[in-house]
Amino acid sequence: MAKDWKQTALLVIDMQKDFIEDWSPVALKAGKNIVPNVVKAVEIARERGILIVWVVRENDPLGRDVELFRRHYYTEMKVKIGCKGSEGAGLVDGLLIKEEDYKLVKSRFSAFFATHLHSVLQATGIHNLVITGQRIQTPNCIRQTVFDAVALDYPQVTVIVDATAAATPEVHQANLFDMKNIGVATQTLQEWSEAKA
């Protein structure tokens, strides 16, 4: 199917140090492995003129906007995960937000939940989404964002399978299977990079 790259956005989800670097208590080991592919996906998106949406966590230092099950990270003597202004909230090395990109701060798994992402995409004529990144596991932020995109009737949602990560290959594959069953395209980075506009 022919694509108009100007109607496509690349969502880069939670590629922050707190979720990837070894020193973090919530780092996903597989997250480090996908960094080169996410970097390459961003490069390809820039070459194609695709809007890049950086989806990040920047939680309140007191944890007031954090899910109940994560608030224990914000009590005294605990590490504050994704805390606004902290080193851990920054993007991993190799990724950089540019002026023409769009940065979206979320406080829940889905990039659409309680954010203005859908409005921004609609206002800029975006109809197709390409998803990369991670957040603890594919079943969390990737899956929730993808399912919301499908529910919002985005006609083409693609997950780059080797630029997303989960705790184990089995968990990753099971969630990709579920996403394929609701019409989501699952491509490798090479397959997506060879796609024609």
Side-chain angles (χ1 to χ4, degrees), residues 11-25:
L11 274 60
V12 183
I13 299 176
D14 295 330
M15 292 300 294
Q16 296 165 267
K17 293 176 183 176
D18 269 340
F19 310 128
I20 293 175
E21 298 297 344
D22 295 334
W23 45 259
S24 173

Side-chain angles (χ1 to χ4, degrees), residues 51 81 127 131 137 139 169 174:
L51 172 66
I81 306 302
H127 303 291
I131 313 293
Q137 293 193 51

Side-chain angles (χ1 to χ4, degrees), residues 76-92:
E76 278 190 51
M77 308 300 289
K78 296 282 185 175
V79 176
K80 297 179 179 184
I81 306 302
C83 183
K84 186 174 183 176
S86 70
E87 178 186 354
L91 296 175
V92 295

Side-chain angles (χ1 to χ4, degrees), residues 1 3 48 59 61 72 75 86 91-92 98 108 114 122 131-132 138 142 164 169 176-177 184 188:
M1 176 170 72
K3 293 182 175 77
R48 291 177 173 170
N59 293 116
H72 65 279
T75 59
S86 70
L91 296 175
V92 295
K98 294 193 174 181
R108 295 297 183 268
Q122 296 298 293
I131 313 293
T132 63
T138 306
I142 300 296
T164 51
L176 291 172
F177 177 81
V184 174
T188 64

Side-chain angles (χ1 to χ4, degrees), residues 53-151:
V53 179
W54 300 92
V55 182
V56 298
R57 287 268 185 157
E58 289 184 355
N59 293 116
D60 174 71
L62 298 179
R64 292 172 287 205
D65 57 355
V66 178
E67 301 100 327
L68 287 175
F69 76 93
R70 283 208 180 100
R71 290 200 180 153
H72 65 279
Y73 286 118
Y74 287 79
T75 59
E76 278 190 51
M77 308 300 289
K78 296 282 185 175
V79 176
K80 297 179 179 184
I81 306 302
C83 183
K84 186 174 183 176
S86 70
E87 178 186 354
L91 296 175
V92 295
D93 292 343
L95 296 175
L96 178 68
I97 300 173
K98 294 193 174 181
E99 186 177 356
E100 63 271 20
D101 301 340
Y102 189 79
K103 178 181 172 183
L104 178 85
V105 176
K106 67 180 175 71
S107 61
R108 295 297 183 268
F109 291 136
S110 174
F112 289 99
F113 183 81
T115 73
H116 50 274
L117 177 59
H118 183 59
S119 297
V120 168
L121 296 175
Q122 296 298 293
T124 53
I126 301 297
H127 303 291
N128 308 310
L129 302 179
V130 179
I131 313 293
T132 63
Q134 58 95 39
R135 177 60 165 81
I136 309 304
Q137 293 193 51
T138 306
N140 294 353
C141 296
I142 300 296
R143 182 184 176 112
Q144 293 291 338
T145 298
V146 165
F147 271 71
D148 280 354
V150 170

Side-chain angles (χ1 to χ4, degrees), residues 4 6 26 34 40 51-52 56 59 61 76 84 92 111 116-117 129 150 152-153 158 160-161 169 175 182 187:
D4 180 350
K6 296 293 183 190
V26 298
I34 67 166
K40 184 64 177 171
L51 172 66
I52 300 168
V56 298
N59 293 116
E76 278 190 51
K84 186 174 183 176
V92 295
H116 50 274
L117 177 59
L129 302 179
V150 170
L152 290 165
D153 292 326
T158 302
I160 301 181
V161 299
N175 281 275
I182 62 165
Q187 296 181 324

Side-chain angles (χ1 to χ4, degrees), residues 3 5 8 10 40-42 44-45 48 50 130 158 160 187-196:
K3 293 182 175 77
W5 296 122
T8 301
L10 175 73
K40 184 64 177 171
V42 169
I44 293 167
R48 291 177 173 170
I50 292 172
V130 179
T158 302
I160 301 181
Q187 296 181 324
T188 64
L189 178 61
Q190 182 172 347
E191 289 168 340
W192 183 68
S193 69
E194 292 172 355
K196 303 296 182 196

